[in-house]
């Protein structure tokens, strides 16, 4: 009886300790009046297991030990389901960029999209025959072509704000050719340059919050020209949201309340052709019609750009840039989510209002994200197809080498004239059947079994890759 009571006493102590430990964990996970994160633990474990299972895939999609660096970069679902239909020309972006010729990369830098980081990658992190010359204490670098005194990059960190502070699509397309012609050394004949426009986009809500924090610290872009159709907007066309030198210390509520705030739908406006809507003349058409035209123009320009990346997909952005321009970065891009905007606690109602204020940017970003991921998906499929084709050609060459190195057999009598034996019998000797190897002079014995793919064309399709979409 004493042993049983002692056992119950120990069991009670263990249960009390477990309960105490649970209370401590609960207080740690759900401090104060904040929402309990235990509700999300199941989804976290689920996403973690999915990510772990999908991260260890070989390049052929089989289980292995090679980690795919592009999987679930933003902690999203591994499976990507396209929403928009794009043509092959929209998805295949490989330009014949000639850095030794007259080609120029033009970087359209939209505020608070991570463009500063990407711009530094362009001047400091690309493997070049003639790297950019960057000196300590200087913001601009000198990026010249090999053997020439001409620049191949038009960006903030190479040519500065030559077309105005954070010049948009309308300004750059009208300004860059003229600036390049006047900046370069005069020649007998001005070369016909190819301008490849690139940009970086970001999730509209986080970009908006990041711009608010930037303005709150005293930043302004009053030096921006906003040139459209040859002139800048008047004060009545583009009023200011604040009086004084800057808007430092403004609250998020004040930032959202200003109807003239250029932070609203900034990405759509900066990627569109403003001359289609009368520039900054708001009376040319209704607000709804105006933004609908700007959105379609931004989508069209985005599709036609040589390249664009997304802040939320740093590794995929690096991959697509390298494949598009056939340039390689020295160090890999890093996905940093600890921005100032990420540290801001915003109520759900406020987030909804920000999305409403930036409804055109939200639609543009969803469109851009779909196009971006489809381009990445197609590029990876092409890369794997090329790798399989190279392996197939290597295996074919190896087999040819082994067949050519086989020891020769003793010759057999040829078929033709009859041979008479001493006993009076006549024997017809036949010639052995031989097969000539395609593309070579050696012959094969009929007993050698060739693989099934031997007679296939070199450029034949091995399998349908469109039904074997890469999953990340």
């Amino acid at each position: 009886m004493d042993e049983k009571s002692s056992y119950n006493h120990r069991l009670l102590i263990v249960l009390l300790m477990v309960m105490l430990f649970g209370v401590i964990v609960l207080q740690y996970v759900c401090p104060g009046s904040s929402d309990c994160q235990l509700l999300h633990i199941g989804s976290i474990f689920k996403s973690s297991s999915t990510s772990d299972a999908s991260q260890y895939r070989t390049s052929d999609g089989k289980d292995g030990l090679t980690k795919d660096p592009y999987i679930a970069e933003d902690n999203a679902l591994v499976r990507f389901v396209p929403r928009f239909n794009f043509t092959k020309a929209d998805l295949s972006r490989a330009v014949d960029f000639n850095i030794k010729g007259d080609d120029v990369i033009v970087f359209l830098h939209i505020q608070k999209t991570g463009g500063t980081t990407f711009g530094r990658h362009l001047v400091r992190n690309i493997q070049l025959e003639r790297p950019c010359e960057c000196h300590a204490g200087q913001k601009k670098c000198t990026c010249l072509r090999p053997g020439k005194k001409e620049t191949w990059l038009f960006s903030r960190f190479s040519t500065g704000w030559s077309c105005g502070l954070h010049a948009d699509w309308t300004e750059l397309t009208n300004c860059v050719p003229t600036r390049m012609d006047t900046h370069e050394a005069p020649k007998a004949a001005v070369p016909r340059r190819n301008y490849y426009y690139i940009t970086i986009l970001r999730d509209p809500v986080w970009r908006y919050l990041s711009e608010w924090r930037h303005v709150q610290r005293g930043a302004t872009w009053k030096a921006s020209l906003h040139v459209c159709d040859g002139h800048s907007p008047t004060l009545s066309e583009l009023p200011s949201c604040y009086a004084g030198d800057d808007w430092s210390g403004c609250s998020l509520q004040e930032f959202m309340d200003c109807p003239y705030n250029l932070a609203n739908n900034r990405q759509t406006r900066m990627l569109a052709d403003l001359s289609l809507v009368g520039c900054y003349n708001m009376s040319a058409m209704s607000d709804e019609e105006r933004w609908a035209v700007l959105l379609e123009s931004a989508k069209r320009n985005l599709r036609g750009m040589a390249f664009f990346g997304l802040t939320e997909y740093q590794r995929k952005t690096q991959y697509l840039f390298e494949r598009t321009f056939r340039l390689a970065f020295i160090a890999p891009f890093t996905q940093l989510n600890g921005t100032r905007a990420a540290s801001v606690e915003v109520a759900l109602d406020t987030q909804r209002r920000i999305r409403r204020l930036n409804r055109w940017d939200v639609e543009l970003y969803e469109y851009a994200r779909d196009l971006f991921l489809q381009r990445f998906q197609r590029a990876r499929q092409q890369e794997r197809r090329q790798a399989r084709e190279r392996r197939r050609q290597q295996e074919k060459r190896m087999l040819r080498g082994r067949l050519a190195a086989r020891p020769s057999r003793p010759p057999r009598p040829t078929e033709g004239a009859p041979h008479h034996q001493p006993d009076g019998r006549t024997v017809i000797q036949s010639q052995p059947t031989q097969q000539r190897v395609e593309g070579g002079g050696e012959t094969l014995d009929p007993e050698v079994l060739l693989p099934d793919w031997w007679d296939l064309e070199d450029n034949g399709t091995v399998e349908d890759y469109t039904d074997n979409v890469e999953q990340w």
Side-chain angles (χ1 to χ4, degrees), residues 254-353:
E254 294 173 336
F255 194 74
M256 293 187 296
D257 288 342
C258 178
Y260 317 113
N261 195 342
L262 291 180
N264 299 341
N265 299 298
R266 180 180 289 279
Q267 296 178 104
T268 302
R269 189 188 70 258
M270 292 188 66
L271 288 176
D273 184 359
L274 296 178
S275 61
L276 298 175
V277 294
C279 298
Y280 293 90
N281 182 9
M282 304 301 175
S283 61
M285 59 184 69
S286 66
D287 191 64
E288 189 77 13
E289 183 181 3
R290 171 186 173 85
W291 280 108
V293 173
L294 291 178
L295 177 62
E296 290 305 314
S297 176
K299 289 180 179 179
R300 182 168 56 253
N301 292 336
L302 197 66
R303 290 195 307 269
M305 277 186 168
F307 161 83
F308 73 89
L310 299 181
T311 307
E312 289 74 21
Y313 298 89
Q314 290 293 312
R315 296 299 299 274
K316 294 181 179 68
T317 294
Q318 175 184 354
Y319 174 83
L320 286 179
F321 181 91
E322 291 177 338
R323 281 188 63 89
T324 300
F325 291 99
R326 296 181 176 89
L327 296 173
F329 288 99
I330 301 172
F333 288 13
T334 304
Q335 186 69 50
L336 297 177
N337 295 322
T339 62
R340 291 188 178 94
S343 63
V344 178
E345 295 184 3
V346 182
L348 188 58
D349 292 340
T350 304
Q351 294 184 34
R352 292 195 185 103
R353 186 183 177 190

Side-chain angles (χ1 to χ4, degrees), residues 307-453:
F307 161 83
F308 73 89
L310 299 181
T311 307
E312 289 74 21
Y313 298 89
Q314 290 293 312
R315 296 299 299 274
K316 294 181 179 68
T317 294
Q318 175 184 354
Y319 174 83
L320 286 179
F321 181 91
E322 291 177 338
R323 281 188 63 89
T324 300
F325 291 99
R326 296 181 176 89
L327 296 173
F329 288 99
I330 301 172
F333 288 13
T334 304
Q335 186 69 50
L336 297 177
N337 295 322
T339 62
R340 291 188 178 94
S343 63
V344 178
E345 295 184 3
V346 182
L348 188 58
D349 292 340
T350 304
Q351 294 184 34
R352 292 195 185 103
R353 186 183 177 190
I354 294 175
R355 289 182 66 86
R356 288 194 301 269
L357 289 172
N358 294 271
R359 54 170 290 202
W360 304 103
D361 267 11
V362 170
E363 186 171 346
L364 175 65
Y365 183 80
E366 291 176 353
Y367 182 87
R369 179 180 179 272
D370 197 278
L371 176 58
F372 176 86
L373 293 178
Q374 286 196 51
R375 283 182 178 178
F376 174 80
Q377 179 175 281
R378 183 179 180 84
R380 293 281 282 176
Q381 290 173 3
Q382 291 176 344
E383 181 184 41
R384 295 185 178 191
R385 184 185 299 113
Q386 294 168 357
R388 290 182 183 231
E389 182 66 20
R390 287 194 298 267
R391 287 197 301 268
R392 193 171 74 89
Q393 296 298 331
Q394 291 175 359
E395 292 172 356
K396 184 184 289 188
R397 287 193 294 268
M398 291 175 60
L399 180 59
R400 286 175 177 170
R402 288 196 298 266
L403 294 176
R406 288 174 61 90
S408 59
R409 296 192 177 189
R412 300 178 182 178
T414 59
E415 183 179 0
H419 295 268
H420 301 281
Q421 300 296 329
D423 57 0
R425 291 182 297 127
T426 300
V427 179
I428 303 296
Q429 296 179 337
S430 61
Q431 181 174 348
T433 304
Q434 294 181 335
Q435 297 180 358
R436 182 168 297 275
V437 178
E438 176 188 359
E442 66 273 18
T443 57
L444 304 181
D445 192 283
E447 296 178 2
V448 178
L449 296 179
L450 297 177
D452 296 336
W453 45 259

